[in-house]
Amino acid sequence: MEESFTTELDRTDRKILRLLQDDGRLTNAELATRVNVSAATCHRRTQRLFQEGFIKSVRAQVEPQSVGLGALVMVGVVLDRSTPESFAAFEAAVVKMPSLLDCNLVAGDFDYLLKIRVKDMPDFNRLHARELITLPGVRQTRTFFVMKEVTDNAPLVF
């Protein structure tokens, strides 16, 4: 789904976006000072960036280890058919998986690439047997356990 953005971003808008990517907890007053505009102007601009879809959300990034989800797994999924109906059925089911972080339709060896967080390898084995291979249309999966996260959710550069 493509968004249609009605407003051009100027230098101040871009700076607001970059600062909020680095620290979503900045107060409006702190943000206004850093972009060198009044608090009222900063608030108005930030609200417009939300309303027009430039900012999707602001949320805390939880440390996975601290909540017992230390294993990151990437799973390539091949469907048995490449039809709009099979893609729709798979997508409707996969988004209901609580452990799923990301699901992307990709070009290449797989139809989808999934990013999943679990406790450990036995936890993933249970998830694989109970959920992954039972998803609609799944013909094959290839699993990659992440050994080291070099970067995660890096800020956009624009």
Side-chain angles (χ1 to χ4, degrees):
M1 168 195 291
E2 282 204 25
E3 295 278 339
S4 115
F5 299 102
T6 58
T7 305
E8 239 352 89
L9 293 176
D10 65 14
R11 191 168 52 185
T12 301
D13 291 332
R14 290 176 184 277
K15 192 166 186 182
I16 289 170
L17 291 173
R18 281 193 292 274
L19 287 166
L20 288 175
Q21 277 190 121
D22 288 339
D23 183 0
R25 293 180 57 166
L26 287 173
T27 66
N28 185 64
E30 292 168 329
L31 191 56
T33 299
R34 291 190 188 184
V35 297
N36 200 28
V37 296
S38 72
T41 297
C42 186
H43 179 71
R44 214 172 26 256
R45 283 177 173 259
T46 303
Q47 290 306 306
R48 181 183 49 78
L49 291 169
F50 271 103
Q51 290 166 354
E52 294 185 5
F54 289 98
I55 301 173
K56 287 173 44 172
S57 68
V58 178
R59 62 183 182 159
Q61 196 165 356
V62 176
E63 171 56 49
Q65 305 276 358
S66 72
V67 293
L69 297 172
L72 181 59
V73 187
M74 307 299 276
V75 179
V77 176
V78 178
L79 298 184
D80 57 8
R81 295 186 333 251
S82 293
T83 65
E85 296 79 21
S86 62
F87 288 161
F90 175 82
E91 291 172 12
V94 76
V95 296
K96 295 177 184 171
M97 292 177 54
S99 57
L100 181 74
L101 299 177
D102 296 315
C103 173
N104 295 287
L105 178 63
V106 296
D109 294 340
F110 311 115
D111 292 313
Y112 290 91
L113 187 61
L114 311 181
K115 183 176 175 183
I116 296 173
R117 266 280 170 205
V118 291
K119 179 180 174 185
D120 51 24
M121 195 175 294
D123 190 26
F124 178 76
N125 283 338
R126 283 187 293 278
L127 174 91
H128 185 267
R130 293 181 186 155
E131 293 183 60
L132 271 179
I133 61 174
T134 65
L135 289 168
V138 171
R139 181 180 70 191
Q140 178 186 13
T141 63
R142 294 216 30 218
T143 301
F144 304 88
F145 282 87
V146 174
M147 296 171 53
K148 178 181 178 184
E149 292 176 63
V150 177
T151 184
D152 180 42
N153 202 26
L156 298 176
V157 178
F158 50 93

